[in-house]
Amino acid sequence: MIQIFKLKELNEAELSHLEELNSWWDKPVNKKLQKCKIFITKFGLQPNDYITFDSINEVKFNDFIKGINNYLNFYTPKLKTIVSERHAFKKFDKSIINYMQLNGYVASLSTIAAFYTEKVDYDLNNFNKTEAINFANIVLLDKWNKFKKEVLVTFGGNEIIKDVIKGIFENEVVYDGIFFDSRVIVNTIVKYASNLLKRTEITEKQFLNIMYLAYLQSNYIESFIYIYKGFTINLK
């Protein structure tokens, strides 16, 4: 699942429009970047082993994206263990939070650049907040739909549980000009899975997988919206 959050490099037009923006995101991005780099030292690695720079200001934006994507190579061999053993999950949970928040920040910046590029023929002073948010929701909904599929796969052939989950998904509402934030629904699914585990209706592995998916989705959304709001706050 974490692979669906792999960041795409920007084209030349998108990069040029990103450079037009005042940089208000450096501090939160660099803070999460440092936390990711420090975490791997617990495994006998060096901070620069996956991400070779210390700040978003040190490299070109596409090189920054490459570094963030490269960090996935640290997680990939460990994912099977993380979602199978509770002690392993606890060992990595804060690291997953930091990485997904960093990923969400960068994905939001890329989406802002894509929005600017799509509207390049317009008067930039006439950017509409509702239009900008609706553009962001396309990205958020894409990740959300992939999350829903992964959640249902977790419960295999148990159609009773899957029907309940589908019922929870029906609470999804998309409003014009309002960020699509699925965290309340995600939390409801986690609570339901927790109750299923207590009643031994699912395995611990299934529960941990739901927790893992929830960590990915919720932290991505939180950080994506945080950065994007900084963009839309001055739009009419």
Side-chain angles (χ1 to χ4, degrees):
M1 173 71 178
I2 200 170
Q3 292 293 336
I4 74 165
F5 294 98
K6 188 173 182 179
L7 300 162
K8 295 181 180 179
E9 294 180 35
L10 275 58
N11 60 41
E12 291 301 320
E14 291 167 338
L15 288 170
S16 67
H17 290 300
L18 186 62
E19 291 172 357
E20 295 173 5
L21 298 174
N22 293 325
S23 177
W24 71 87
W25 56 77
D26 293 1
K27 186 174 181 180
V29 168
N30 289 334
K31 182 177 180 180
K32 294 299 177 183
L33 177 66
Q34 287 304 315
K35 286 186 176 183
C36 289
K37 289 167 65 72
I38 290 171
F39 180 76
I40 65 173
T41 62
K42 298 179 180 180
F43 297 84
L45 299 169
Q46 297 299 314
N48 286 356
D49 280 352
Y50 289 95
I51 301 174
T52 59
F53 44 82
D54 295 320
S55 167
I56 192 172
N57 311 106
E58 290 182 6
V59 292
K60 294 180 179 179
F61 193 73
N62 274 345
D63 290 332
F64 188 82
I65 286 176
K66 289 176 184 176
I68 304 308
N69 285 338
N70 190 44
Y71 197 79
L72 285 173
N73 293 320
F74 168 69
Y75 285 115
T76 302
K78 303 171 179 61
L79 288 178
K80 187 176 181 179
T81 302
I82 292 172
V83 298
S84 300
E85 301 174 8
R86 188 179 290 264
H87 75 277
F89 187 89
K90 281 187 165 294
K91 188 175 182 179
F92 283 89
D93 58 357
K94 290 181 180 178
S95 173
I96 293 171
I97 289 172
N98 287 327
Y99 177 75
M100 288 311 303
Q101 288 180 347
L102 175 61
N103 185 285
Y105 287 155
V106 180
S108 187
L109 294 173
S110 296
T111 305
I112 293 169
F115 177 72
Y116 260 70
T117 302
E118 183 168 298
K119 305 300 176 184
V120 70
D121 293 330
Y122 291 75
D123 180 354
L124 299 189
N125 293 321
N126 292 330
F127 272 6
N128 179 274
K129 180 181 288 189
T130 297
E131 193 176 35
I133 292 173
N134 290 346
F135 190 88
N137 281 344
I138 295 172
V139 177
L140 293 173
L141 284 165
D142 175 66
K143 294 296 187 289
W144 170 242
N145 288 329
K146 291 173 181 176
F147 166 83
K148 291 192 294 185
K149 289 179 182 179
E150 291 293 328
V151 167
L152 292 174
V153 167
T154 299
F155 296 108
N158 193 320
E159 297 302 326
I160 295 176
I161 292 177
K162 287 164 75 172
D163 284 344
V164 174
I165 294 292
K166 290 175 184 177
I168 296 173
F169 287 152
E170 289 177 0
N171 291 308
E172 169 191 319
V173 181
V174 183
Y175 294 103
D176 192 44
I178 298 177
F179 287 106
F180 175 70
D181 188 344
S182 59
R183 282 178 290 178
V184 172
I185 303 176
V186 173
N187 289 340
T188 301
I189 292 170
V190 169
K191 289 178 182 178
Y192 176 57
S194 179
N195 288 331
L196 289 174
L197 181 64
K198 289 176 183 177
R199 300 197 299 265
T200 65
E201 294 181 37
I202 62 173
T203 65
E204 182 170 270
K205 183 176 180 179
Q206 286 175 308
F207 175 70
L208 289 175
N209 195 60
I210 292 297
M211 287 293 294
Y212 166 68
L213 295 174
Y215 270 48
L216 299 184
Q217 180 72 11
S218 293
N219 288 288
Y220 176 87
I221 290 170
E222 178 184 350
S223 54
F224 184 103
I225 292 177
Y226 174 79
I227 291 292
Y228 210 91
K229 276 184 176 179
F231 164 56
T232 61
I233 194 169
N234 294 319
L235 299 182
K236 297 180 181 179

